């Protein structure tokens, strides 16, 4: 860490009474998710400094111009700790752990599997999987059901088939089992884990990766997941290559599009090892993110019966006009609802970045330092950690209006959403990040949510179980938890027709 005096120290922010923990306990383990962060943003504005462990000054940023610069520039890379964790989870070849040219090459090679045209090919898969959720729900009719479990399995099935062209049944059962365990293992953090994370934040990338690879019970499951993903990846790719050699019909999945690109450009196309190296990451990136978002959305629908009925009426009308393969993008309330869910429940609420070379972060509005000086841009030193406030940006009153913290899908229909300059790829939201590391699977996630919601709401009504309390836990990603801290959304589901 660069010891020269930095402007960051002069930026206003919350006081901290602990040198060891700084403000991290309030930031990571608040009684209610985002409680302190939200109060700090209101008090200090969209750029403030807070204390991480061992006296480190960290920047929290939700200022639009600063965010734009952070996501566009390669001067800001994932922190060594985040990198080491992703490597342990997904193997060293995963896209998130690549930087610079290596990241750009991999991203360009993966893109053909995620374009708008490619995503349309996956629609029948999502429709088939959505039917399996309905079939299971029929058996739970009128009883209390944990929607999280059903949605997790469905999201796993959808990704396995859309990305690898394999149904869950055709995958190695141990691989399926370990993946579902890893997804549920995202349990809470504690003071102890905050301190370990704080130590890792001071170490260089290679050392961080080595430490995370030391034998430890907790990480064994992650290593097993990566090992099984790699061997399943080899099998799947080999089967596809063999099928192509025998002239058999091609699959309709991401791996197929990557192995046999329609516009083959040697500079961008990937080799088999590059593709296999994404297997584990895609499984994790594409599964729980979408299913947790849907679970949060269903809770909002269960709380607002009128909204649920209006949405169902829109879906029924669309189905009666076109019984198969709905034009999902043309359902206004459905899409407003999905956008509002993504806005208030961004399952990856923050992204941490480390500055790799001294640079400047521009600001939309000037800020006043503790010494009274006003600045329009922040000089930051190599080694500085900055937090991209995805969730915070989506609560800014200056962008979303005075009721920014209220769940109100109609804001997307009545013109009250102030768009400004979009940072992210979808609906001015930052939920899928933006710039050079924009989520590649955002179209897949949106389509999957559209399809699942249409199927479920057309056939069932949803009410919260009487004693259900929604807690939100920030584990690896945001997840809904019950009063005992278990991942769960208990609902009473009733068949409509
Ligand atoms: C609601 C669902 C989802 C959300 C909120 C989400 C969010 C994100 C975010 C915030 C990032 C940036 C992470 C960072 O750089 O620190 C990201 C990256 C990524 N996501 Fe998603 N994601 C979702 C679903 C998916 C799906 C369904 C897939 C694929 C099947 C996917 C594939 C990826 C990939 C490949 C990257 C890495 C992009 C790169 O580094 O260039 N995501 N996602």
């Amino acid at each position: 860490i660069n010891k020269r005096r930095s402007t960051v120290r002069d930026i206003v922010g919350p006081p901290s009474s602990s040198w060891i923990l700084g403000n991290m306990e309030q930031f990571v383990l608040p009684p209610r998710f985002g409680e302190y962060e939200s109060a700090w943003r209101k008090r200090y504005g969209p750029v403030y400094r807070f204390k991480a462990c061992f006296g480190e000054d960290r920047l929290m940023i939700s200022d639009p111009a600063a965010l734009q610069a952070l996501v566009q520039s390669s001067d800001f890379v994932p922190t060594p700790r985040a990198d080491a964790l992703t490597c342990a989870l997904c193997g060293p070849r995963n896209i998130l752990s690549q930087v610079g040219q290596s990241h750009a090459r991999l991203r360009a090679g993966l893109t053909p599997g995620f374009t708008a045209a490619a995503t349309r090919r996956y629609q029948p898969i999502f429709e088939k999987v959505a039917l399996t959720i309905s079939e299971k729900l029929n058996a739970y009719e009128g009883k209390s059901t944990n929607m999280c479990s059903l949605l997790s399995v469905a999201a796993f099935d959808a990704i396995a088939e859309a990305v690898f062209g394999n149904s869950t049944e055709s995958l190695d059962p141990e691989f399926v089992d370990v993946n579902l365990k890893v997804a549920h293992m995202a349990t809470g953090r504690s003071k102890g884990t905050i301190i370990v994370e704080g130590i890792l934040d001071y170490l260089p990338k290679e050392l961080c990766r080595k430490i995370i690879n030391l034998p430890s019970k907790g990480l064994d499951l992650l290593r097993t997941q990566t090992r099984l993903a790699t061997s399943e990846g080899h099998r799947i790719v080999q089967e596809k290559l063999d099928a192509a050699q025998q002239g058999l019909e091609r699959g309709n999945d991401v791996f197929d599009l990557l192995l046999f690109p329609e516009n083959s450009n040697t500079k961008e196309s990937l080799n088999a090892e590059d593709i296999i190296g994404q297997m584990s990451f895609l499984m994790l990136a594409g599964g729980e993110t979408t299913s947790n978002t849907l679970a949060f959305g269903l809770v909002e629908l269960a709380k607002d019966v009128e909204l649920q009925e209006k949405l169902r009426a829109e879906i029924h009308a669309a189905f009666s006009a076109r019984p198969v393969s709905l034009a999902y993008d043309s359902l206004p309330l459905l899409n407003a609802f999905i956008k509002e869910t993504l806005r208030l429940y961004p399952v990856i609420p923050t992204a941490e970045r480390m500055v790799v070379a001294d640079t400047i972060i521009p600001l939309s509005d000037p800020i006043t330092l503790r010494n009274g000086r006003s600045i329009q841009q922040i000089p930051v030193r190599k080694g500085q950690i900055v937090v991209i406030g995805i969730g915070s940006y989506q609560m800014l009153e200056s962008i979303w209006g005075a009721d920014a913290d209220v769940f109100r899908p109609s804001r997307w229909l009545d013109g009250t959403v102030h768009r400004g300059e979009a940072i992210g790829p979808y609906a001015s939201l930052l939920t899928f990040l933006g710039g050079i590391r924009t989520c590649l699977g955002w179209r897949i996630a949106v389509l999957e949510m559209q399809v699942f919601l249409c199927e479920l709401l057309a056939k069932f009504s949803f009410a919260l179980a009487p004693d259900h309390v929604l807690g939100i836990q920030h584990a690896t990603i945001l997840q809904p938890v019950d009063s005992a801290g278990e991942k769960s959304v208990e609902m009473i589901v009733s068949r409509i027709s």
Side-chain angles (χ1 to χ4, degrees):
I1 301 277
N2 199 320
K3 291 265 191 274
R4 281 175 295 162
R5 187 175 170 83
S6 140
T7 309
V8 173
R9 285 166 102 187
D10 296 324
I11 293 175
V12 292
S16 141
S17 54
S18 161
W19 177 78
I20 295 180
L21 284 167
N23 300 110
M24 290 306 280
E25 195 181 353
Q26 296 152 299
F27 190 63
V28 175
L29 301 170
R32 264 189 46 245
F33 173 73
E35 191 170 330
Y36 289 101
E37 200 290 307
S38 170
W40 295 339
R41 180 174 16 89
K42 285 183 181 148
R43 166 95 173 75
Y44 302 108
V47 175
Y48 61 84
R49 172 201 46 78
F50 67 100
K51 287 281 180 197
C53 292
F54 316 119
E56 181 209 321
D57 285 309
R58 203 166 275 197
L59 266 185
M60 179 73 188
I61 294 192
S62 50
D63 171 279
L67 289 173
Q68 196 71 261
L70 285 170
V71 298
Q72 294 296 348
S73 162
S74 51
D75 284 342
F76 305 93
V77 299
T79 61
R81 174 174 56 82
D83 162 79
L85 191 67
T86 324
C87 278
L89 263 169
C90 308
R93 298 183 84 116
N94 84 81
I95 182 165
L96 217 57
S97 296
Q98 312 306 315
V99 291
Q101 280 307 310
S102 159
H103 174 263
R105 182 194 71 86
L106 197 52
R107 191 176 165 91
L110 289 172
T111 296
F114 298 91
T115 59
T119 304
R120 277 194 291 277
R121 295 162 69 147
Y122 316 138
Q123 185 167 321
I125 298 172
F126 299 149
E127 289 170 342
K128 190 180 78 178
V129 174
L131 277 175
T132 66
I133 320 178
S134 286
E135 279 158 19
K136 286 182 190 158
L137 281 179
N138 282 333
Y140 293 115
E141 182 17 59
K143 294 189 203 125
S144 177
T145 311
N146 181 358
M147 286 307 295
C148 279
S149 314
L150 284 182
L151 291 170
S152 277
V153 172
F156 185 93
D157 291 347
I159 291 301
E161 208 151 332
V163 177
F164 317 124
N166 271 234
S167 67
T168 309
E169 293 79 48
S170 63
L171 290 171
D172 173 2
E174 197 188 350
F175 173 64
V176 176
D177 186 49
V178 168
N179 261 281
L180 291 174
K181 278 195 187 129
V182 168
H184 285 270
M185 166 184 144
T187 47
R189 288 142 94 186
S190 62
K191 273 191 201 181
T193 60
I194 293 176
I195 293 172
V196 174
E197 288 171 7
I199 295 170
L200 292 174
D201 278 334
Y202 276 86
L203 303 178
K205 185 164 148 173
E206 291 312 318
L207 188 55
C208 249
R209 285 191 185 187
K210 281 199 177 111
I211 288 181
I212 276 204
N213 274 323
L214 291 173
S216 102
K217 232 180 168 182
L219 293 176
D220 277 353
L221 192 67
L222 305 187
R223 283 187 270 269
T224 310
Q225 199 266 0
T226 308
R227 180 176 54 76
L228 293 172
T230 310
S231 78
E232 275 300 83
H234 276 286
R235 178 188 63 78
I236 290 168
V237 166
Q238 195 53 53
E239 279 178 11
K240 286 185 178 297
L241 294 173
D242 291 346
Q245 229 173 24
Q246 292 163 27
L248 299 176
E249 201 186 333
R250 291 252 320 268
N252 242 344
D253 53 87
V254 174
F255 268 29
D256 219 273
L257 282 170
L258 300 180
L259 280 169
F260 314 107
E262 274 156 15
N263 302 314
S264 178
N265 172 343
T266 42
K267 230 172 106 200
E268 285 175 1
S269 55
L270 306 174
N271 61 41
E273 290 303 320
D274 286 328
I275 297 173
I276 294 163
Q278 309 316 312
M279 177 96 187
S280 174
F281 178 70
L282 288 174
M283 214 65 235
L284 296 173
E288 292 302 284
T289 48
T290 315
S291 65
N292 288 3
T293 309
L294 276 169
F296 285 123
L298 283 182
V299 172
E300 289 295 341
L301 279 179
K303 287 196 302 201
D304 188 342
V305 178
E306 200 187 325
L307 173 66
Q308 193 179 144
E309 278 168 3
K310 274 192 193 155
L311 197 44
R312 185 170 298 113
E314 181 180 89
I315 295 165
H316 279 162
F319 268 124
S320 49
R322 187 175 167 178
V324 277
S325 215
L326 289 191
Y328 296 97
D329 283 341
S330 61
L331 301 183
L333 187 55
L334 173 76
N335 291 296
F337 170 74
I338 289 175
K339 286 172 192 165
E340 191 67 348
T341 306
L342 287 165
R343 182 179 76 84
L344 278 190
Y345 297 101
V347 289
I348 302 179
T350 53
E352 285 166 10
R353 295 291 190 252
M354 181 174 268
V355 180
V356 288
D358 290 4
T359 186
I360 299 274
I361 301 178
L363 296 171
S364 303
D365 296 306
I367 57 169
T368 306
L369 300 178
R370 287 193 293 181
N371 59 15
R373 194 160 64 90
S374 171
I375 53 170
Q376 182 69 60
Q377 50 187 25
I378 311 169
V380 281
R381 303 233 189 263
K382 180 179 171 182
Q384 174 67 48
I385 295 181
V386 294
V387 182
I388 299 179
I390 296 175
S392 310
Y393 165 76
Q394 281 162 189
M395 300 273 276
L396 285 184
E397 292 184 6
S398 55
I399 305 254
W400 309 97
D403 65 350
D405 54 356
V406 177
F407 188 90
R408 186 171 67 81
S410 61
R411 76 179 69 245
W412 297 95
L413 302 170
D414 62 15
T416 47
V417 170
H418 161 62
R419 293 184 195 282
E421 199 187 332
I423 306 173
Y426 179 63
S428 307
L429 294 168
L430 200 57
T431 306
F432 298 109
L433 207 66
I436 57 177
R437 286 181 179 267
T438 295
C439 170
L440 270 175
W442 72 268
R443 290 189 183 88
I444 292 184
V446 170
L447 179 63
E448 193 181 318
M449 287 193 274
Q450 290 171 327
V451 172
F452 283 14
L453 283 169
C454 281
E455 168 67 20
L456 292 180
L457 285 165
K459 294 183 180 160
F460 300 95
S461 71
F462 295 87
L464 282 173
D467 51 353
H468 181 85
V469 182
L470 174 71
I472 303 180
Q473 189 181 66
H474 188 184
T476 327
I477 61 173
L478 288 193
Q479 57 182 21
V481 287
D482 59 19
S483 49
E486 295 296 322
K487 183 171 175 183
S488 165
V489 168
E490 283 293 326
M491 289 198 162
I492 311 287
V493 183
S494 310
R495 180 100 201 174
I496 299 282
S497 52

